Amino acid sequence: YKRLLQLDPSFGSMLTVGEGKFGCSIETGEALKVIETIIESNYLDFVGLHHHVGFSGYMGTYTKVNELMHHHECAKELANFAKDISDSIGTRVHRLNIGGGYRAGKIVVLATPGDGTDGALYEVPTADEYAKTVTEPLKDTLGEDLLPLLQLELGSYPTADAGIMLTKVTEVKDSIKMAKRYVVTDAGMWTFIS
């Protein structure tokens, strides 16, 4: 993430979400060692790579430009790694799962958790803009011959605009220690899946 962090230092707050519990590091060589181990195994087949950049509105400084840049840089990093795998050990990456974090609709309301006084509407990228931002680095780096199957995790993208959740505040809790206000409602995301 070196280049991504140079372009947007606020992305560092996104990296603390997983606390290192997801995946393997390309930079340390761990990811390549795992791939080599899979290739040497009689019981496993190496198929591809996965990365999940997430939605930049959860942490950091959200802008539509930054949102697209995050996805572009992560797709570029995966494409470069896929090329390195092909060049160094002669194995082709057949599938790239570039994760999710894609927002549906035209706008999103973002506010600091526990505050809410800074809430504002922000424009989100279109599906075409997301597609262009992740496919360009793949084509540029891998060329037509090495292009893998591209997978996306759409999450709520196809259904996010399908309804509106109306809920009522049932409790407000102020945390003096954290200087935050927590608001409890009588509904949550589980409402949509129950």
Side-chain angles (χ1 to χ4, degrees):
Y1 298 112
K2 283 183 183 177
R3 178 165 161 74
L4 181 50
L5 289 169
Q6 289 170 350
L7 296 170
D8 178 15
S10 75
F11 187 74
S13 62
M14 291 284 291
L15 298 177
T16 62
V17 173
E19 301 284 338
K21 67 181 177 179
F22 300 111
C24 307
S25 171
I26 294 171
E27 188 176 349
T28 64
E30 179 187 17
L32 188 59
K33 287 179 188 171
V34 168
I35 292 166
E36 289 171 339
T37 301
I38 291 170
I39 291 168
E40 292 170 5
S41 171
N42 293 326
Y43 305 102
L44 301 172
D45 291 322
F46 173 70
V47 178
L49 304 171
H50 174 263
H51 189 278
H52 188 100
V53 67
F55 175 59
S56 62
Y58 292 135
M59 305 256 188
T61 307
Y62 178 83
T63 66
K64 180 180 173 179
V65 171
N66 273 355
E67 170 71 358
L68 290 170
M69 182 269 295
H70 292 174
H71 285 278
H72 180 273
E73 290 301 316
C74 289
K76 187 175 181 180
E77 183 177 351
L78 269 184
N80 286 331
F81 188 45
K83 180 126 177 50
D84 290 346
I85 292 167
S86 177
D87 293 346
S88 66
I89 57 178
T91 297
R92 182 173 175 200
V93 174
H94 294 281
R95 185 175 302 172
L96 281 182
N97 181 328
I98 56 170
Y102 306 102
R103 283 291 158 256
K106 295 179 181 170
I107 57 170
V108 64
V109 178
L110 298 174
T112 303
D115 180 0
T117 60
D118 61 348
L121 300 174
Y122 295 88
E123 185 181 5
V124 296
T126 65
D128 287 342
E129 289 171 319
Y130 276 127
K132 182 179 179 184
T133 202
V134 298
T135 56
E136 281 182 348
L138 300 178
K139 290 176 185 175
D140 292 346
T141 304
L142 299 172
E144 295 294 326
D145 293 340
L146 292 178
L147 278 180
L149 172 69
L150 183 62
Q151 292 179 302
L152 309 169
E153 296 173 28
L154 298 178
S156 63
Y157 194 95
T159 61
D161 292 343
I164 296 173
M165 181 171 74
L166 181 61
T167 184
K168 162 173 97 172
V169 174
T170 59
E171 184 179 349
V172 176
K173 180 179 178 182
D174 291 314
S175 171
I176 297 168
K177 182 179 178 184
M178 304 269 302
K180 292 186 177 187
R181 172 169 281 173
Y182 297 94
V183 178
V184 179
T185 66
D186 64 354
M189 288 307 294
W190 54 266
T191 306
F192 291 116
I193 58 173
S194 58

